[in-house]
Amino acid sequence: MEQYIQLAHGAGGSQTNELIETVFKKHLASPAMTADDAAVLTIGAEKLAFTTDGFIVSPYKFPGGNIGKLSVCGTVNDLACMGAKPLYMTCAVVIEEGFPVAELEPIVEAMGRTAREAGVQFAAGDTKVAGKGQVDKIFITTTGIGQLTPGADLSGANAKPGDAVIVTGDVGRHGCTVLLERNEFGIEADVKSDCAPLWHTVEAVLNRTKNVHVIRDATRGGAGTVLYEIASQSGVGFDIERARIPVDPAVRGVCGMLGLEPLYLACEGTLVMIAPAEEADGIVETLRSMPYSANAAVIGRVTAENPGKVVVSTEIGAKTMLPRPGGELLPRIC
């Protein structure tokens, strides 16, 4: 463990895991903690999902959304990944002194609009104003609670050899959008964040079949990091077919120019689903009927070989190991 916190500690890769294991879990671990997107709590006869997340995206507005929309989508989607219907949310907003009210209102409006679309209500909140330079414009923390769907049993530890690997949409679009919006490379491309609330998408799949093993939100670190996390939790390997991975053509072009791996770029409207192979076609059919998952596809399978590793079959038939996630690629993408 390094002596000082680096940006890489917040990127969702190996340094993030090291920080959680050596500092946070050491002092805060409890039986309720989970490696999944939300904790499952039993209160009386009720099973609830509970999650919290902080959002410090820079820039705070981007094509396809802003930090307000992102904060609601992130929490709604984390609950959805446990098969939980979002019920209530809280928000804590830290605003830098001098931030324009005319810029704040569209952020809050987006929060309200996205919450209504997802069917979740804000139940409490807190506002703080920090002195100039004490915070970078605006940070938002949201917490959500949701009701588990009866019969759904979702966890990163449930993947089984032979299962199909499904993505609900094209990968890497949010990370690419934020990267271009910073205008650090002088690249112009028509890319729009996939930021979207996905509870109704998950609900449609679970209404079709409860026989789904894993659903994970491919945010920080992208789909590649999610696959490595599931591989570790379940003790399995993955065989992914590069040609099947849906990638927006503009994102593919930017990645080609900058040498980036689309699987490691953040998504904010794409989930990774693991389900028995016999359920895969039906799940994809359902996903493609929903507003935010028209590009859903089966991209590979779970294997007993190479446990803890992700193998990618290239377009020409060669097999290569997807490098383990590490370092900092895109600071502050969520």
Side-chain angles (χ1 to χ4, degrees), residues 59-282:
Y60 59 84
K61 56 182 177 179
F62 44 83
N66 59 35
I67 192 172
K69 179 181 180 182
L70 183 66
S71 68
V72 175
C73 290
T75 291
V76 164
N77 295 348
D78 281 351
L79 294 172
C81 285
M82 302 310 295
K85 177 182 179 180
L87 297 177
Y88 299 103
M89 288 182 65
T90 69
C91 65
V93 183
V94 181
I95 311 164
E96 184 183 25
E97 176 191 11
F99 192 79
V101 174
E103 293 284 306
L104 176 62
E105 188 160 1
I107 292 171
V108 181
E109 186 276 333
M111 294 175 73
R113 173 167 33 85
T114 308
R116 287 189 294 274
E117 180 182 351
V120 66
Q121 299 180 54
F122 278 97
D126 182 55
T127 304
K128 294 289 189 298
V129 176
K132 193 75 173 175
Q134 292 182 330
V135 65
D136 188 1
K137 298 180 178 63
I138 181 168
F139 294 168
I140 300 176
T141 298
T142 49
T143 297
I145 192 163
Q147 186 174 37
L148 258 67
T149 301
D153 180 19
L154 299 165
S155 169
N158 289 349
K160 296 175 174 57
D163 282 353
V165 181
I166 301 164
V167 290
T168 65
D170 56 281
V171 304
R173 197 144 39 95
H174 178 74
C176 186
T177 300
V178 173
L179 175 68
L180 295 179
E181 196 65 10
R182 291 179 185 147
N183 201 28
E184 294 174 354
F185 299 99
I187 299 172
E188 291 187 11
D190 184 16
V191 182
K192 180 180 177 182
S193 172
D194 61 344
C195 185
L198 299 175
W199 160 242
H200 295 305
T201 301
V202 171
E203 182 182 34
V205 170
L206 295 179
N207 282 341
R208 179 165 190 142
T209 177
K210 303 296 190 298
N211 195 12
V212 181
H213 294 157
V214 186
I215 304 180
R216 293 293 289 270
D217 198 6
T219 53
R220 217 173 32 165
T225 295
V226 164
L227 290 172
Y228 265 107
E229 289 172 348
I230 297 170
S232 176
Q233 283 181 262
S234 293
V236 297
F238 286 102
D239 193 348
I240 303 301
E241 295 186 44
R242 175 74 69 182
R244 291 191 174 193
I245 302 169
V247 183
D248 182 274
V251 174
R252 193 184 301 278
V254 171
C255 288
M257 283 188 282
L258 299 179
L260 301 177
E261 168 56 72
L263 284 171
Y264 283 138
L265 293 182
C267 310
E268 290 292 346
T270 292
L271 307 173
V272 175
M273 294 187 174
I274 312 291
E278 62 269 20
E279 300 281 4
D281 288 344

